[in-house]
Amino acid sequence: MSISVGDKIPDVKLVKATAEGPQPVQSAEYFAGRRIALFSVPGAFTPTCSARHLPGFVEKSDELAAKGIDEIACTAVNDAFVLGAWNKSGGSDAITMLADGNGDFAAALGLEMDGSAFGMGKRGQRFSLVVNDGVVEHVNVEAPGDFNVSSAEYMLGQL
């Protein structure tokens, strides 16, 4: 069963990619006390993720802030070093990278996928959430292969 509007974010260890190196964070603590736009990609440096998903949130970061978003975070089943490098190459300081290296967060949300047919193993689905003080306000999960409802533009229309 996947996460729904009104649900609390599950408490799972993530790793935040920072300039000083990887820093462990608990998801319940990270999402507490503020309104966060979270988007998930199947993998850093993959085509749609690099060409459209990350750039959309970078481009719309100021507009999201103007609509009451305190922070934008990206998660993927990659390690913090990969997500840090991806953010450095095509992202922005406006995006916080949260590594879900073992896929525990994606599984706890009920939003994992099996990319084994593509040599990717278990990953997180492409989705976005708006989380306010640890409670989910919006859930946008893409159909396999699609990129529509998890975009920054779609999220702006919801806020």
Side-chain angles (χ1 to χ4, degrees):
M1 190 156 153
S2 68
I3 193 101
S4 299
V5 170
D7 290 348
K8 293 274 289 172
I9 285 291
D11 192 19
V12 177
K13 185 180 134 197
L14 295 165
V15 181
K16 184 176 174 181
T18 72
E20 296 77 36
Q23 295 182 354
V25 295
Q26 286 298 128
S27 56
E29 198 174 296
Y30 177 81
F31 288 96
R34 53 208 175 125
R35 193 171 188 213
I36 297 176
L38 173 72
F39 66 102
S40 171
V41 298
F45 294 106
T46 56
T48 300
C49 306
S50 292
R52 297 177 64 200
H53 213 168
L54 177 59
F57 277 92
V58 170
E59 291 167 14
K60 301 295 184 186
S61 61
D62 289 339
E63 291 175 59
L64 288 162
K67 295 270 190 169
I69 295 298
D70 298 311
E71 188 164 347
I72 301 168
C74 174
T75 188
V77 181
N78 290 118
D79 63 64
F81 297 106
V82 168
L83 286 180
W86 188 44
N87 201 24
K88 192 177 270 189
S89 77
S92 160
D93 289 340
I95 311 296
T96 300
M97 293 292 178
L98 298 174
D100 183 21
N102 296 323
D104 296 336
F105 187 61
L109 293 172
L111 293 172
E112 64 184 346
M113 62 170 247
D114 186 355
S116 298
F118 307 103
M120 295 173 70
K122 300 278 186 191
R123 297 290 177 122
Q125 293 181 48
R126 185 180 306 283
F127 66 86
S128 69
L129 306 174
V130 175
V131 183
N132 192 356
D133 194 20
V135 177
V136 177
E137 285 186 352
H138 296 281
V139 178
N140 307 302
V141 181
E142 297 287 0
D146 281 358
F147 176 67
N148 298 299
V149 300
S150 66
S151 70
E153 293 82 5
Y154 189 88
M155 184 180 283
L156 276 168
Q158 293 178 307
L159 300 175

